């Protein structure tokens, strides 16, 4: 199993949901880079469980204990390593899951892959809990990108079919992105919050779950970041986005919508604003040829409904090798979408940090 990502901004994550701790190691940070631990703590709190009725009742502070790579508020240049204790574990909730495979979760695929040696408690290494280290890395990446003028933010674009407004693809406002990061339930149009929450509650009452969509944007990314082919901005970012449990689709710009357009509609006309080339529209999400064009980077992801539901489901008992039924016990998010918002932002921040650290220009600037 590989748990390492990146070329320059190299991230390794470790841990399991109900083991003693989870954490991460980041290699490649420039020595002397200031790291604001309060800002990191704020980002961690946005993802932490137990803070909203749409989330699991498991309460975790998700405090990061940095054990190397930081001295007097600055990166030392050594690997930055942080540990997050798992304090609120209830392994007994998962006793049945070593043999009864949850449909839609990673239980069966993981059982086959690791020949039954994997830790099944709380989803083990497949748990959404492993997104906490990604949010830590995203927060550090964001601090690396901020002096380059890059701002990243996201919002809940839909839950159970109830839709929020969309970002203006041409004029995404950095101030707006920062404001979204201060919201527990980030929406562009707050009037849809009640309908979204009602849909989550209705699913919970029906012992079921719901999914949704997250829209994420980065502003201030200069033109020319990324490479054609394998290290395209889309490839690197999608690699990280698809690493997030429960993300099942990613689109950049108009994505699947582009398939129904004509070239004359899909092309983003170029104009001159003083001596700067700008596009009049942004159907391509700020990336063409795998390389940023100076427009806001825009993407959307689909989050599937939480697989662990209390409703009775058909499954297989792999110990007895017979068909069985299962009612999932334990504490689960009836909707993953709100907690996944900072995780999606983090994936984009880490991808851009990795691409921009690979690129001599920003570090010379
Ligand atoms: C922040 C977050 C929280 C999650 N919480 C739960 C949960 O409480 N219960 C659950 O069954 N799945 C949860 N998941 C999703 C599963 O981990 C995921 O669906 C599973 O590992 C299977 O992977 P896949 O959906 O990517 O195929 C969560 C995911 C994220 C990102």
């Amino acid at each position: 199993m590989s748990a390492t990502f990146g070329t320059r901004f190299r991230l390794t994550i470790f841990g399991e949901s109900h083991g003693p701790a989870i954490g991460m190691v980041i290699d490649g940070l420039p020595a002397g880079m200031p790291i604001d631990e309060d800002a990191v703590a704020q980002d961690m709190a946005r993802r932490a469980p137990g803070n909203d009725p749409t989330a699991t009742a498991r309460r975790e502070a998700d405090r990061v204990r940095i054990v190397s790579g930081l001295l007097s508020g600055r990166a030392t240049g050594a690997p930055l390593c942080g540990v997050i204790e798992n304090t609120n574990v209830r392994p007994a909730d998962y006793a049945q899951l070593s043999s009864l495979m949850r449909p839609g979760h990673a239980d069966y695929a993981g059982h086959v892959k690791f020949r039954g040696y994997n830790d099944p408690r709380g989803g083990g290494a497949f748990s959404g809990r492993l997104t906490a280290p990604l949010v830590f890395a995203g927060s550090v990446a964001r601090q690396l990108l901020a002096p380059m003028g890059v701002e990243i933010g996201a919002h809940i674009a839909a839950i159970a079919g109830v839709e929020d407004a969309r970002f203006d693809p041409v004029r995404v406002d950095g101030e707006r992105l920062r404001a979204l990061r201060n919201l527990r339930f980030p929406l562009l149009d707050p009037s849809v919050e009640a309908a979204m929450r009602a849909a989550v509650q209705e699913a919970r009452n029906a012992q079921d779950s719901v999914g949704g969509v997250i829209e994420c944007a980065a502003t201030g990314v200069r033109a020319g970041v990324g490479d054609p082919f394998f290290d395209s901005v889309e490839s690197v970012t999608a690699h990280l986005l698809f690493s997030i449990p429960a993300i099942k689709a990613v689109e950049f710009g108009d994505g699947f919508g582009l398939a129904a357009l004509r070239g004359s509609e899909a092309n983003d006309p170029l104009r001159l604003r003083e001596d700067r080339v700008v596009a009049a529209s942004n159907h391509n999400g700020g990336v063409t040829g795998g390389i940023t064009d100076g427009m806001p980077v825009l993407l959307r992801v689909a989050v599937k409904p939480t697989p662990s539901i209390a409703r009775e489901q058909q499954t297989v008992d792999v110990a007895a090798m017979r068909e069985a039924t299962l009612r999932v016990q334990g504490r689960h998010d009836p909707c993953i979408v709100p907690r996944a918002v900072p995780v999606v932002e983090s994936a984009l921040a880490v991808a851009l940090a990795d691409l921009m650290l690979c690129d001599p220009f920003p570090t010379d600037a």
Side-chain angles (χ1 to χ4, degrees), residues 54-308:
T54 58
T56 166
R58 178 176 177 175
R59 279 202 163 271
E60 291 281 5
D62 282 357
R63 211 160 285 122
V64 185
R65 186 162 57 88
I66 295 181
V67 296
S68 90
L70 186 71
L71 187 65
S72 308
R74 289 187 184 262
T76 61
L80 180 70
C81 175
V83 175
I84 307 162
E85 310 284 333
N86 291 326
T87 55
N88 191 347
V89 294
R90 271 205 229 151
D93 284 350
Y94 300 94
Q96 57 174 352
L97 297 183
S98 54
S99 59
L100 285 176
M101 307 285 97
R102 282 172 297 176
H105 211 294
D107 298 350
Y108 177 64
H111 175 80
V112 173
K113 166 96 182 160
F114 298 112
R115 295 177 290 120
Y117 287 108
N118 55 302
D119 182 348
R121 299 167 305 164
F126 297 97
S127 170
R129 179 136 184 81
L130 270 293
T131 58
L134 180 55
V135 170
F136 174 86
S139 192
V140 173
R142 201 198 294 280
Q143 293 184 33
L144 189 69
L145 296 167
M148 303 177 200
V150 177
E151 198 66 69
I152 297 170
H155 69 106
I156 300 168
I159 284 181
V162 181
E163 293 193 355
D164 189 14
R166 299 273 291 259
F167 283 129
D168 175 337
V170 178
R171 277 168 291 275
V172 182
D173 174 16
E175 196 58 50
R176 189 86 190 262
L177 297 182
R178 269 198 298 282
L180 282 169
R181 295 209 301 271
N182 292 325
L183 302 176
R184 179 77 57 212
F185 203 86
L187 290 168
L188 298 178
D189 174 4
S191 74
V192 298
E193 177 169 348
M196 285 183 177
R197 286 190 180 279
V200 176
Q201 192 52 46
E202 192 276 320
R204 187 203 287 272
N205 295 345
Q207 301 187 315
D208 217 330
S209 61
V210 288
V213 178
I214 295 167
E215 186 181 37
C216 183
T219 57
V221 183
R222 65 177 182 82
V225 174
D227 277 308
F229 280 87
F230 306 121
D231 289 329
S232 77
V233 172
E234 290 119 318
S235 317
V236 174
T237 309
H239 186 161
L240 277 159
L241 290 168
F242 278 126
S243 306
I244 303 170
I247 301 293
K248 286 294 183 188
V250 174
E251 64 177 13
F252 290 85
D254 288 357
F256 276 84
L258 284 167
L261 299 184
R262 290 179 172 233
S264 55
E265 298 165 313
N267 293 346
D268 299 313
L270 297 178
R271 303 246 172 89
L272 268 180
R273 288 273 172 283
E274 285 149 24
D275 59 348
R276 241 167 40 91
V277 178
V278 294
S281 57
N282 190 12
H283 299 293
N284 288 281
V287 185
T288 44
I291 299 170
T292 54
D293 60 9
M295 298 301 288
V297 175
L298 273 179
L299 62 90
R300 284 159 52 90
V301 301
V303 184
K304 77 182 193 185
T306 318
S308 298

